[in-house]
Amino acid sequence: MLTLLSAFLCAESRVVMLSPGEVVSGEFSLVDSVPYYEMRRGRVPVVRPGRMGFLLADGSRLDCGFVIDSVESGTIDERWSPVLGQYDTIRNHCRFYRIALRQPASRRTMTVEFRLYDEGLAFRYIFDNPWNGTTHFRIAEERTEFAMSGAHKAFWLPGNFDSNEYYYTTSRLSDIDATAVDGSGIGTHRVLDPDMVQTPLMMKTRGGLYVSLFEAALDDYSAMHLLLDRQRLSFRVVLSPSPVPGVRAFMQTPCRTPWRTLMVSDRAEDILASSMILNLNDPCRLTDTRWIKPIKYVGVWWEMHIPGGSAWSYADVPSVKIGQTDWTALKPHGRHGATTANVLRYIDFAADNGLDAVLVEGWNVGWEEWSGNWKENVFDFVTPYPDFDIDSVTSYARSRGVELIMHHETSGSATNYERRMTEAFDLMERYGYKSLKTGYVGWPIPRGETHDGQWMVNHYNRVVREAAERHIMVNAHEPVRPTGLSRTYPNLLACEAARGNEFNAWSKGNPPEHETILPFTRLLGGGMDYTPGIFEIKMSHYQEGNPCQVHTTLAKQLALYVTMYSPIQMAADLPENYLRRMDAFQFIRDVECDWTDTRILEAEPGDYITVARRGKRSGDWFIGAITDERGRKARIDLSFLDPGCFYVATVYADAPDADWKDNPMAYEIRQYIVDRRTKFRQRLAPGGGCAISLRRATLDDLSRIKDKL
Ligand code: NOJ
Ligand code: CA
């Protein structure tokens, strides 16, 4: 519902704005014709006055010389249901203010639209058509500022327009040094600027406010980075560059920028529970969404990441040229993972355990020299290696009721992918593939573009749109960070776009606090294919003396299925590692990844998260509790359970002597009868976690299980 409260000609140069519950307020003002905004929560300043506007590539300024032409305001109060998600319905409740500005000297116009929620403020810039007699312009700089109210504690990633696969550093804003971060293991690591960090940026003020700075609905624009002015504790937007010197975004009217978003609450839990980023995206544009489904999968994948594991490639040859190699004439090196026999083994494991799908990486030719060389034509996405019999693999999968997930690693060559995408999707259709994992390892092609720049943003979005036309679900790795586009295109199931579990296999890994920060940052924009569920924690299991390991306990790997939202979840470890621990694997079999309800029971960024979610398929509840390197007792209150019902709680916990470093695989499983009056403290080991499934108890359960919590 949209109610217009007022539309008036405005002689004032100040607009005061309020959220529906009057929790958050904002003020827009022109000071000597320069636009500024500020934001408060109650009486507490969250953002001090900061500038708005642009510098254009032709040298003209769009950040001063303005008058207010009109102000329009009103309320949006609507409910919508995500196709896949964390809630069955979401309320979008905010006040909007559209402030039409004009530069009398240039006759240019620009509208700034604000939305005020009780949990935050967002704004974007809108340009009408025609614009100053033309339909295009080029942005040299976005001058938006975020003037923070103090030297907050911040959880940040170093600025890099080509990778978000860093671990988080926690420091005061004034102590940020982005050049101090270790980028080993990141192919596109670059040291850019000590003062530049990425979004989403999570902060905590000395007064206990949680503040998230991010963007929503990024499309046809460059992703936003932040440059810190240390003296003023103020960030300025840095748009990811294009290859054209002096141009960061190419605008064609009518157009609008993404939303600049500031979420705020005195409870960390509210940040995780908020749907503000999704709400700022356009409603679903697909008319038929019945083909979009949650997916639990295994894959020929971890075996390529572990030390001494199998290979994506087929032969030991230095370099091949796509389309000019006779693959059957090459001598296989014998370590190829995606062989027919091996894939059938995974299909059997998936079918035997009720998993939906199998991902096969390395099925297609081109992996011999695929990464790091900035080559344009590496993969054709349609030619299987000689030892991968696509006909028999797909028909066997069909006979066992399992889907196959297509893999398109582009090695960053988006041009090559765009040229071959239709044929690649045709092959998927022919063989019945319904979902797709893409990858963008390496420097992008067109050369000079960045992963986060406007051209690549449009590429990722184009893939999602074309995939939607073909009824294909997408899971993108190494794309720009998602900003809620899955509301508009729910076939975008998830992205990686952060440091995933894979880094634990071959780098110094993800510190135990990593998974307590991601939901406060990266996951605000959409589901993450983190690939949890590693049971064999230490890589020395595969290679004597190998120092790499997953930096969690086994029980915490289970908890991640609940704390780390994604409608596509992998059981990432090898089948043989699960077969040795089927009692713990039962949780992965049972857990769902599409939910009707979510309760954030407790959370503190960098320290711990405890979440309960209700599965859409069964109505059962699942709980995940995780901690950082410190052990703790999670507070679990089951008052969300249905009244008058008893449930069986199966608790997958760290054993008393477990800890992530020295004894990560020690777990214990217990069953209890519980109801909505049950409250308890659950011990989590250092780097540990706990997963709980809750299903309605039968009479038999009640007589069998005597333990109460
Ligand atoms: C990086 C992806 O994140 C990973 O999952 C994949 O296995 C490799 N690229 C190869 O495509
Ligand atoms: Ca990756």
Side-chain angles (χ1 to χ4, degrees):
M1 192 198 40
L2 188 141
T3 21
L4 277 192
L5 290 182
S6 60
F8 51 89
L9 262 181
C10 194
E12 274 267 359
S13 58
R14 208 167 72 99
V15 181
V16 175
M17 305 177 283
L18 270 179
S19 71
E22 306 193 352
V23 182
V24 167
S25 63
E27 189 175 311
F28 173 87
S29 53
L30 289 179
V31 179
D32 296 333
S33 80
V34 173
Y36 285 86
Y37 77 100
E38 59 185 280
M39 173 191 184
R40 287 168 190 269
R41 184 177 191 276
R43 290 154 165 252
V44 183
V46 178
V47 180
R48 295 178 289 110
R51 291 186 68 148
M52 310 180 84
F54 303 88
L55 180 65
L56 302 190
D58 65 8
S60 55
R61 292 182 64 167
L62 209 57
D63 66 341
C64 59
F66 284 111
V67 294
I68 297 179
D69 254 354
S70 66
V71 180
E72 208 185 284
S73 64
T75 301
I76 297 172
D77 192 359
E78 62 187 12
R79 284 176 200 274
W80 60 281
S81 293
V83 176
L84 306 175
Q86 309 184 61
Y87 301 94
D88 59 359
T89 54
I90 291 175
R91 185 177 184 194
N92 181 17
H93 190 203
C94 64
R95 289 215 183 121
F96 68 84
Y97 298 81
R98 289 190 197 114
I99 304 166
L101 303 174
R102 187 165 45 85
Q103 260 183 339
S106 71
R107 297 209 312 272
R108 285 171 168 162
T109 55
M110 171 172 92
T111 297
V112 185
E113 178 176 5
F114 284 87
R115 287 200 187 164
L116 277 86
Y117 291 82
D118 284 341
E119 79 256 37
L121 172 151
F123 60 89
R124 63 177 172 183
Y125 303 92
I126 301 171
F127 302 96
D128 292 332
N129 192 31
W131 193 73
N132 190 31
T134 174
T135 58
H136 56 87
F137 61 100
R138 293 189 283 274
I139 292 176
E141 256 178 50
E142 180 178 328
R143 290 248 162 122
T144 308
E145 287 178 345
F146 304 96
M148 306 319 296
S149 58
H152 308 327
K153 174 169 149 183
F155 302 86
W156 53 269
L157 302 181
N160 177 348
F161 308 114
D162 287 286
S163 180
N164 29 46
E165 297 192 313
Y166 294 92
Y167 55 84
Y168 289 89
T169 304
T170 309
S171 78
R172 294 268 154 214
L173 289 178
S174 41
D175 297 332
I176 285 174
D177 178 4
T179 54
V181 171
D182 177 2
S184 55
I186 299 174
T188 49
H189 171 61
R190 266 201 297 177
V191 180
L192 287 180
D193 192 312
D195 302 330
M196 190 161 70
V197 296
Q198 309 205 15
T199 76
L201 180 67
M202 184 67 207
M203 290 166 276
K204 186 179 183 184
T205 72
R206 283 207 168 89
L209 283 184
Y210 298 86
V211 181
S212 152
L213 172 42
F214 191 23
E215 63 180 315
L218 171 61
D219 189 25
D220 203 5
Y221 201 71
S222 297
M224 170 173 92
H225 277 48
L226 301 168
L227 191 70
L228 178 69
D229 175 335
R230 238 168 256 278
Q231 261 65 53
R232 296 174 53 231
L233 294 174
S234 178
F235 288 109
R236 184 167 63 67
V237 168
V238 179
L239 296 178
S240 306
S242 84
V244 180
V247 183
R248 305 245 161 180
F250 297 80
M251 310 298 282
Q252 265 182 282
T253 58
C255 56
R256 58 198 192 184
T257 67
W259 296 95
R260 276 64 188 93
T261 66
L262 288 142
M263 288 158 73
V264 61
S265 179
D266 55 358
R267 297 177 66 246
E269 292 81 3
D270 293 346
I271 303 285
L272 299 185
S274 170
S275 298
M276 190 174 123
I277 300 295
L278 285 176
N279 277 331
L280 289 163
N281 278 266
D282 287 342
C284 180
R285 277 197 205 136
L286 313 183
T287 41
D288 174 12
T289 55
R290 283 168 303 181
W291 50 277
I292 299 173
K293 302 251 157 54
I295 301 174
K296 265 197 303 189
Y297 72 105
V298 283
V300 181
W301 181 76
W302 188 244
E303 62 171 80
M304 274 89 91
H305 288 271
I306 56 177
S310 57
W312 284 273
S313 64
Y314 171 79
D316 278 326
V317 284
S319 175
V320 292
K321 204 155 185 198
I322 206 77
Q324 293 181 19
T325 307
D326 177 5
W327 295 92
T328 52
L330 291 180
K331 185 169 157 299
H333 55 36
R335 288 176 287 108
H336 185 216
T339 63
T340 304
N342 197 28
V343 174
L344 297 195
R345 198 168 65 89
Y346 279 83
I347 293 172
D348 281 336
F349 182 78
D352 293 347
N353 291 289
L355 301 173
D356 306 298
V358 175
L359 165 76
V360 185
E361 295 202 356
W363 69 276
N364 59 321
V365 300
W367 290 88
E368 277 60 31
E369 191 205 45
W370 69 281
S371 85
N373 297 305
W374 226 349
K375 289 197 299 187
E376 180 150 17
N377 292 298
V378 176
F379 297 107
D380 69 4
F381 313 103
V382 291
T383 310
Y385 278 124
D387 57 352
F388 178 78
D389 180 352
I390 188 167
D391 289 291
S392 63
V393 166
T394 49
S395 67
Y396 186 69
R398 200 167 306 131
S399 77
R400 297 238 44 200
V402 170
E403 310 260 326
L404 289 173
I405 300 177
M406 176 49 76
H407 184 229
H408 292 161
E409 172 58 63
T410 68
S411 66
S413 179
T415 46
N416 179 50
Y417 191 36
E418 293 210 358
R419 283 194 297 271
R420 298 176 188 267
M421 202 159 57
T422 304
E423 245 185 89
F425 287 180
D426 287 346
L427 179 117
M428 288 179 65
E429 191 173 318
R430 212 157 51 244
Y431 285 97
Y433 286 79
K434 296 179 177 147
S435 60
L436 162 66
K437 171 178 172 177
T438 57
Y440 295 90
V441 171
W443 301 107
I445 303 179
R447 296 184 185 90
E449 291 289 350
T450 55
H451 278 77
D452 292 356
Q454 184 179 14
W455 196 94
M456 286 300 284
V457 165
N458 288 350
H459 166 80
Y460 311 123
N461 293 354
R462 196 149 52 233
V463 171
V464 171
R465 289 185 180 112
E466 297 219 357
E469 302 256 301
R470 308 288 295 254
H471 287 197
I472 292 169
M473 296 172 271
V474 178
N475 167 18
H477 279 227
E478 299 87 31
V480 70
R481 58 200 66 59
T483 56
L485 206 72
S486 56
R487 178 180 180 191
T488 315
Y489 298 103
N491 65 310
L492 175 57
L493 295 187
C495 296
E496 185 191 41
R499 191 178 182 91
N501 225 358
E502 63 192 30
F503 274 77
N504 283 315
W506 36 255
S507 78
K508 78 179 212 188
N510 309 347
E513 65 171 13
H514 190 59
E515 298 94 348
T516 70
I517 302 172
L518 282 169
F520 284 97
T521 52
R522 158 67 186 78
L523 275 85
L524 297 176
M528 175 171 180
D529 188 30
Y530 187 70
T531 63
I534 301 302
F535 279 14
E536 198 58 65
I537 299 284
K538 298 207 177 215
M539 296 307 115
S540 54
H541 173 82
Y542 304 104
Q543 188 180 61
E544 219 187 310
N546 188 297
C548 296
Q549 76 161 97
V550 174
H551 294 65
T552 74
T553 62
L554 186 151
K556 182 171 171 181
Q557 287 290 309
L558 294 179
L560 295 177
Y561 288 92
V562 188
T563 60
M564 203 78 96
Y565 169 70
S566 175
I568 177 164
Q569 289 279 23
M570 184 173 207
D573 210 336
L574 311 179
E576 51 268 42
N577 292 339
Y578 291 136
L579 288 167
R580 285 197 304 278
R581 294 177 192 84
M582 288 306 276
D583 56 348
F585 187 67
Q586 187 60 41
F587 183 80
I588 301 181
R589 295 179 55 148
D590 293 339
V591 72
E592 296 186 37
C593 48
D594 185 25
W595 313 99
T596 54
D597 201 0
T598 290
R599 306 292 171 97
I600 312 297
L601 303 183
E602 51 169 11
E604 180 65 27
D607 292 342
Y608 57 85
I609 295 178
T610 305
V611 181
R613 302 188 197 267
R614 187 172 208 165
K616 207 176 268 181
R617 182 170 42 77
S618 64
D620 293 346
W621 286 87
F622 297 87
I623 295 176
I626 60 169
T627 183
D628 64 0
E629 68 287 350
R630 278 164 304 193
R632 71 183 297 271
K633 288 194 164 152
R635 274 182 301 271
I636 300 178
D637 176 342
L638 300 182
S639 55
F640 52 80
L641 293 176
D642 289 342
C645 300
F646 289 105
Y647 291 76
V648 178
T650 308
V651 179
Y652 302 77
D654 293 319
D657 57 348
D659 81 88
W660 71 272
K661 198 155 195 282
D662 298 318
N663 193 19
M665 286 152 68
Y667 62 91
E668 54 186 31
I669 303 171
R670 296 242 164 87
Q671 287 197 321
Y672 305 90
I673 299 295
V674 297
D675 66 14
R676 67 194 313 243
R677 291 164 304 187
T678 310
K679 286 188 181 59
F680 62 103
R681 304 287 303 253
Q682 175 62 49
R683 211 191 129 269
L684 311 179
C690 175
I692 304 175
S693 63
L694 293 147
R695 63 165 171 79
R696 289 275 182 98
T698 61
L699 284 177
D700 178 51
D701 292 324
L702 294 175
S703 59
R704 184 174 55 88
I705 304 168
K706 291 290 166 233
D707 289 343
K708 291 218 159 52
L709 267 166

